[in-house]
Amino acid sequence: MNGLPRTRTWRTALVGGVVTAVILAGVMATALWRTDRTSATAAITSSTPTAPAVRAIPEHAPPVAASDDPVTFARAVATTLFAWDTTDRRPVDAHRDPIIAVGDPAGIETPGLVADLALYLPTAEAWKLLSGYSTRQWLDITAAAVPASWPGIAANAPAGSLAPGTTAVTIDGIRHRAGTWEGEHVHDKFTVAFTMFVVCGPTHPTCHLLRLGALDTPLR
């Protein structure tokens, strides 16, 4: 990247695919309280379009690894959520589906989760733009833990409003974006932090994702 006079231009294209809007409060657990709880790293050296190799492309991105531990599960969700590659010829929705698949089994939180994902994944229009730069993204997780504030939040929730095993997990990490600009490999990285809300045992034998908090407004 050093010596490139077009930094603002390529960075705008590379990073601007995701527009982060703060639509969820930092203490987004209140959204859960209102609901009845009963129910890739290889460098690319050229931006010149080439004919894609003939290969079978799975319809969906790889699934989220199952776990009965909330922190382990949250790490798997975060890794899957941030890992996408516009060169794999999948539509952007294919990267959303694995997250939805591990969502609320009852479907109560699904509409909210879909709205949350819209803040993390590029729009179809942005995906097309990013594809022109062979853009890839991935996340290096630096920390994952139940925030210290969560026990107090859960204790003050209305009785019966949180299913047993509902937990917040805050993820800290470094988001990487890489691609090509005028035949040169470009790579940038940004610190990110966010909180997700999951439900595990005893309500379910394995963990499920309820909601995603707004990016960079984590619970601590």
Side-chain angles (χ1 to χ4, degrees):
M1 285 189 321
N2 292 337
L4 292 178
R6 303 164 301 278
T7 300
R8 177 174 297 179
T9 304
W10 73 256
R11 182 171 296 187
T12 299
L14 205 62
V15 179
V18 177
V19 179
T20 302
V22 181
I23 64 167
L24 300 176
V27 190
M28 201 203 67
T30 54
L32 303 178
W33 299 346
R34 300 192 188 100
T35 303
D36 181 4
R37 294 291 102 204
T38 60
S39 333
T41 60
I44 305 168
T45 58
S46 175
S47 61
T48 302
T50 56
V54 177
R55 59 191 177 100
I57 301 297
E59 183 179 356
H60 302 298
V64 176
S67 177
D68 59 2
D69 176 75
V71 174
T72 300
F73 175 71
R75 292 177 69 97
V77 169
T79 298
T80 301
L81 175 61
F82 280 82
W84 50 255
D85 185 344
T86 62
T87 69
D88 67 10
R89 296 189 287 129
R90 295 188 185 101
V92 66
D93 284 352
H95 298 274
R96 180 190 68 175
D97 294 343
I99 305 298
I100 299 297
V102 295
D104 182 6
I108 297 172
E109 299 292 347
T110 302
L113 180 58
V114 170
D116 300 341
L117 286 169
L119 302 181
Y120 282 82
L121 293 171
T123 64
E125 181 178 355
W127 188 259
K128 183 177 180 180
L129 174 66
L130 292 167
S131 296
Y133 298 95
S134 301
T135 310
R136 298 177 294 113
Q137 177 178 274
W138 67 96
L139 180 70
D140 288 337
I141 297 173
T142 56
V146 177
S149 62
W150 178 250
I153 292 171
N156 288 306
S161 62
L162 293 177
T166 299
T167 308
V169 180
T170 293
I171 300 288
D172 291 273
I174 301 172
R175 181 179 71 172
H176 296 261
R177 283 275 180 97
T180 59
W181 177 257
E182 296 187 357
E184 298 181 36
H185 175 68
V186 291
H187 176 202
D188 213 339
K189 54 188 179 180
F190 315 84
T191 58
V192 295
F194 62 101
T195 299
M196 67 180 74
F197 300 87
V198 305
V199 59
C200 304
T203 297
H204 301 291
T206 58
C207 298
H208 293 271
L209 176 64
L210 297 176
R211 297 292 301 272
L212 292 165
L215 194 63
D216 296 327
T217 61
L219 291 178
R220 296 296 188 187

